[in-house]
Amino acid sequence: MSNPAGRTTDWAEDDEPDLATALPQPQITKNKDGTETVVTYSINEKGQKIKRTQRIRRTVIKKRENPRVAERRAWPKMGIEAGRAPGPHPDTTTLGENIIFRPVAGFKSGNTEEKEKDDKKADALKKMQIKCRICSGDHFTTKCPFRDTMAPEGEAGAGAGDGMGGEDGAEGGLGAGGSSYVPPHLRKGAGATGERMGGKYERDDLATLRVTNVSEFAEEDELRAMFERFGRVTRVFLAKDRETGRAKGFAFVSFVDRSDAAIACEKMDGYGFHHLILRVEFAKKST
Amino acid sequence: MRPILLSGHERALTQVKFSKEGDLIFSVSKDHNACAWYANNGERFGVYKGHQGALWTVDVDPNTVLLATGGADNTIRLWEVKTGKLLKTWEFGTAIKRVEFSEDGRLLLGVTEKRQGQLSTVIVYEINPDPEAEQTSEQSLRIVCDELPKVTVAGFSYLSKYIITGHEDGSVSKWDAKTGELLQNVFVHDADLQVTDLQWSQDRTYFITASKDKTAKLMTVDELEVLKTYVADTPLNSAAITPVKDYVILGGGQAAMDVTTTSARQGKFEARFYHKVFEEEIGRVRGHFGPLNYVAVSPTGTCYCSGGEDGYVRVHHFDPPYFDFKFEVEREKENQSRI
């Protein structure tokens, strides 16, 4: 119903300009913090006068666009899409699940490890030397040409020993002794390749802070907001009671950079949050 | 990052391409259609209908005015991007496996398949960039590969000086783009494993090849020298060089015919990111249910898309970690230069 010139286009709207003039003009006042307060008046269906106060912050976002791209964006659709409303249509365009993609040096997928293992086994099998127990030639004992003439010397003992020795070398060492049981986590090469509990997400313990003495009414978002001031936060974990849903009093906050984490640790240790004083320290590596 | 899934095709994707400004994506598939999409929101702009067989290849000229498609109906077709109008059809004896515009959009090359007693050829047409103009039916150059094995991929080097071709036997050749003379032929990939893709760096002075031998190689145009080798654990269908950041993206997976016998996890249907200089793998992006047939990177370097055997195009806009990532040596160098 904008009728700026007061020109009437419809007889039904004739009396509206009068009403509009009866209402006070909108007021715009600038606040100190850069926001604006806009007060407008209107009349609702019941004929009551409504005063609406809005506080607005104006931000200018500048975006450069190639004029040719802008032109193409305005092209009318064609082919079987011709005449359809602008914007993506769910029959052809959908959003996938969020993927966390963080490049890391020395990336290794779980798959390749398995593969390597397989390869190693295959290699070991290939390399495993076949040694005849009769003549020490490179064929099976049963295929030995001297099988009938010479008896196998030292039979079982020597044979089994040989076999074990070969396997040991190939498997990458079950342990120093070879005979005694060595738990998996103590075996050679286990520390680096062993899969950690809790799934595939490698925790970057170096830049993780442990926050204790957290109020039980705290929320993850609050913590994130507090810690994001110091750098990019990758993960906030707030331990919660399963039944009550309240915080248990401690949380972990991971940063991208250790230096950010160090600053955050220094600044947030002793910070008053809700009614408690936070204690912040670097998380110790879980064992 | 949240990928945008484009599901406008009914069969496996064969190639995807970005326009020069990175705002439009063109995809072709075995369902006989080519589609154009807006890269920023995944909205479909239109469909180019007319081919009678599976499409193998697509390319758009640098002005995003003309679109060339080639496929199993033995034709190369030229379309007007804006209206979807068919401008020209060139017919051949066998299927077209690859089309590519030169850097300036004045030349178009096509690769025909070797079959039915016909030899594999590379043909070149001069293109009039005006969509209203009549396009020539006369080939300006025709390279017949009678001694070398069949050509699988081809492209124009910088200044349209050379034509580089990849072959079925894993070799790469360089031809003079004016005379069609064979200048060099080198074996870079394992014998009898075909070169599946060839994509250019931005200035077209070097390129990356992908092969079924599970490696991708970065090669110079001038010497056909292998600069870098990226080793994957699966046959590769495609490789792309990313602008802005020094990465390469490899796509592949088990051959389509073996897919049903393996799970998606084993099939390795992931886009692999390698550092271009250090040749080290830095990450993977999962999502497809089938092998990735093509990966393309936006010339702006801010997003990439992959077309899979599963019939989906997935468009990924990179997050800040992608741009922030640096190797320790790169950081050190930066710090030193700051001091």
Side-chain angles (χ1 to χ4, degrees):
Chain A
M1 305 297 138
S2 60
N3 236 343
R7 178 168 49 98
T8 47
T9 52
D10 190 350
W11 60 269
E13 286 174 8
D14 259 354
D15 53 354
E16 266 197 21
D18 294 338
L19 267 177
T21 48
L23 291 168
Q25 286 297 307
Q27 293 172 346
I28 301 172
T29 45
K30 289 211 163 120
N31 300 333
K32 272 180 196 160
D33 58 347
T35 59
E36 283 177 4
T37 308
V38 181
V39 184
T40 48
Y41 299 92
S42 62
I43 287 174
N44 67 3
E45 312 92 68
K46 288 181 195 159
Q48 291 160 322
K49 199 162 142 191
I50 305 280
K51 178 185 174 188
R52 188 170 68 170
T53 309
Q54 293 166 293
R55 269 185 87 190
I56 303 169
R57 180 188 292 278
R58 286 177 207 272
T59 48
V60 179
I61 298 168
K62 278 188 187 164
K63 210 172 133 190
R64 282 169 193 278
E65 193 170 46
N66 189 323
R68 297 162 87 180
V69 173
E71 189 205 320
R72 287 202 282 268
R73 199 188 297 278
W75 278 357
K77 293 188 181 184
M78 61 87 190
I80 54 171
E81 291 280 318
R84 290 185 81 179
H89 291 278
D91 57 336
T92 53
T93 311
T94 44
L95 268 183
E97 267 175 50
N98 195 22
I99 296 173
I100 295 162
F101 176 64
R102 266 181 71 197
V104 282
F107 172 87
K108 210 154 207 203
S109 99
N111 240 5
T112 52
E113 275 165 34
E114 272 168 43
K115 173 103 199 304
E116 263 168 27
K117 232 188 206 168
D118 283 356
D119 279 357
K120 254 189 196 165
K121 248 185 198 166
D123 274 358
L125 263 177
K126 256 188 224 162
K127 275 187 206 153
M128 199 170 76
Q129 278 167 5
I130 299 162
K131 194 175 160 197
C132 173
R133 275 179 281 133
I134 299 168
C135 68
S136 301
D138 56 350
H139 50 254
F140 290 108
T141 313
T142 48
K143 301 253 169 73
C144 184
F146 308 110
R147 187 160 53 116
D148 298 330
T149 50
M150 287 159 76
E153 28 149 340
E155 258 276 357
D162 267 359
M164 288 294 283
E167 262 167 40
D168 262 358
E171 291 282 319
L174 281 169
S179 56
S180 61
Y181 172 76
V182 182
H185 68 278
L186 292 179
R187 284 177 197 166
K188 263 186 236 164
T193 55
E195 208 163 304
R196 222 174 270 154
M197 286 262 291
K200 54 207 163 177
Y201 299 107
E202 187 109 330
R203 265 213 350 237
D204 195 1
D205 286 310
L206 282 175
T208 301
L209 297 176
R210 189 175 71 151
V211 186
T212 45
N213 205 23
V214 182
S215 152
E216 62 174 350
F217 300 105
E219 294 290 339
E220 273 187 16
D221 290 344
E222 290 178 289
L223 286 172
R224 182 176 278 273
M226 282 199 304
F227 282 90
E228 243 166 9
R229 284 180 287 172
F230 303 98
R232 187 169 290 131
V233 172
T234 53
R235 187 186 67 118
V236 174
F237 171 78
L238 178 68
K240 282 187 177 161
D241 191 291
R242 201 178 297 176
E243 260 132 52
T244 61
R246 285 181 181 173
K248 274 185 172 174
F250 70 97
F252 290 97
V253 180
S254 302
F255 283 85
V256 173
D257 272 327
R258 193 181 157 82
S259 52
D260 291 341
I263 295 168
C265 179
E266 198 180 300
K267 289 271 155 71
M268 294 304 287
D269 195 16
Y271 181 83
F273 176 56
H274 288 193
H275 58 282
L276 294 170
I277 289 167
L278 293 184
R279 178 160 166 68
V280 183
E281 60 205 336
F282 270 97
K284 283 166 200 102
K285 213 161 192 138
S286 55
T287 45
Chain B
M1 56 192 175
R2 269 196 102 174
I4 306 172
L5 273 68
L6 312 181
S7 49
H9 289 287
E10 283 156 21
R11 287 193 61 201
L13 271 292
T14 48
Q15 198 172 21
V16 284
K17 276 276 169 82
F18 276 96
S19 66
K20 200 188 172 196
E21 285 83 16
D23 61 324
L24 283 174
I25 296 171
F26 298 94
S27 60
V28 287
S29 125
K30 291 180 186 168
D31 68 358
H32 309 187
N33 293 333
C35 289
W37 313 79
Y38 288 106
N40 62 334
N41 60 0
E43 178 182 355
R44 182 153 76 171
F45 164 64
V47 182
Y48 304 87
K49 267 191 182 210
H51 272 282
Q52 303 296 318
L55 287 182
W56 295 119
T57 175
V58 65
D59 200 19
V60 62
D61 82 331
N63 303 319
T64 323
V65 172
L66 303 174
L67 184 78
T69 53
D73 61 351
N74 304 350
T75 61
I76 295 179
R77 288 174 201 236
L78 195 71
W79 313 82
E80 191 183 0
V81 172
K82 183 179 177 179
T83 59
K85 198 167 82 182
L86 179 64
L87 301 175
K88 179 81 185 168
T89 306
W90 291 281
E91 288 205 31
F92 302 91
T94 54
I96 308 300
K97 293 303 273 188
R98 190 55 79 118
V99 290
E100 196 175 294
F101 281 101
S102 63
E103 227 173 345
D104 58 356
R106 295 286 181 146
L107 296 170
L108 175 71
L109 73 68
V111 174
T112 66
E113 208 175 12
K114 179 180 183 174
R115 202 194 287 152
Q116 297 150 355
Q118 309 235 24
L119 288 167
S120 173
T121 59
V122 178
I123 40 168
V124 178
Y125 288 102
E126 275 173 24
I127 295 293
N128 190 331
D130 180 9
E132 304 296 325
E134 181 81 14
Q135 300 291 343
T136 176
S137 302
E138 220 160 281
Q139 297 163 2
S140 67
L141 180 71
R142 180 182 158 89
I143 301 170
V144 181
C145 267
D146 42 0
E147 281 154 30
L148 294 168
K150 109 179 173 190
V151 180
T152 52
V153 291
F156 283 107
S157 80
Y158 59 93
L159 306 173
S160 313
K161 201 173 172 189
Y162 306 111
I163 291 173
I164 306 287
T165 55
H167 299 262
E168 201 184 17
D169 65 343
S171 65
V172 171
S173 318
K174 184 164 81 177
W175 312 75
D176 189 315
K178 293 261 155 37
T179 62
E181 184 191 348
L182 176 64
L183 302 172
Q184 218 177 333
N185 176 249
V186 289
F187 279 87
V188 287
H189 289 287
D190 284 2
D192 292 329
L193 289 167
Q194 67 165 345
V195 179
T196 47
D197 193 20
L198 187 159
Q199 290 194 40
W200 295 97
S201 69
Q202 281 211 303
D203 59 1
R204 298 207 186 206
T205 56
Y206 61 94
F207 56 91
I208 189 164
T209 59
S211 164
K212 290 280 180 202
D213 73 354
K214 306 183 181 180
T215 63
K217 308 218 177 196
L218 205 68
M219 294 178 72
T220 61
V221 167
D222 284 333
E223 309 290 327
L224 286 192
E225 183 192 351
V226 176
L227 296 173
K228 302 283 172 190
T229 303
Y230 311 98
V231 184
D233 55 355
T234 179
L236 294 177
N237 291 333
S238 186
I241 303 169
T242 63
V244 185
K245 294 297 285 184
D246 281 336
Y247 305 145
V248 297
I249 308 175
L250 312 184
Q254 231 141 16
M257 53 194 283
D258 302 330
V259 166
T260 46
T261 59
T262 49
S263 78
R265 187 86 192 94
Q266 279 179 324
K268 310 187 175 81
F269 311 131
E270 296 155 317
R272 294 128 206 280
F273 286 71
Y274 285 70
H275 196 278
K276 187 166 82 181
V277 181
F278 301 114
E279 302 174 317
E280 199 176 299
E281 186 165 2
I282 53 170
R284 290 185 186 182
V285 172
R286 297 175 59 186
H288 279 287
F289 312 121
L292 280 71
N293 283 340
Y294 208 85
V295 286
V297 186
S298 164
T300 56
T302 55
C303 79
Y304 89 95
C305 68
S306 50
E309 189 72 21
D310 56 3
Y312 284 100
V313 179
R314 296 174 74 96
V315 186
H316 306 77
H317 291 269
F318 293 125
D319 282 339
Y322 170 87
F323 298 102
D324 295 342
F325 173 73
K326 279 186 191 97
F327 269 89
E328 207 56 45
V329 279
E330 289 178 287
R331 276 215 187 111
E332 267 170 36
K333 201 184 155 200
E334 247 172 42
N335 287 342
Q336 273 169 4
S337 64
R338 217 177 286 157
I339 296 159

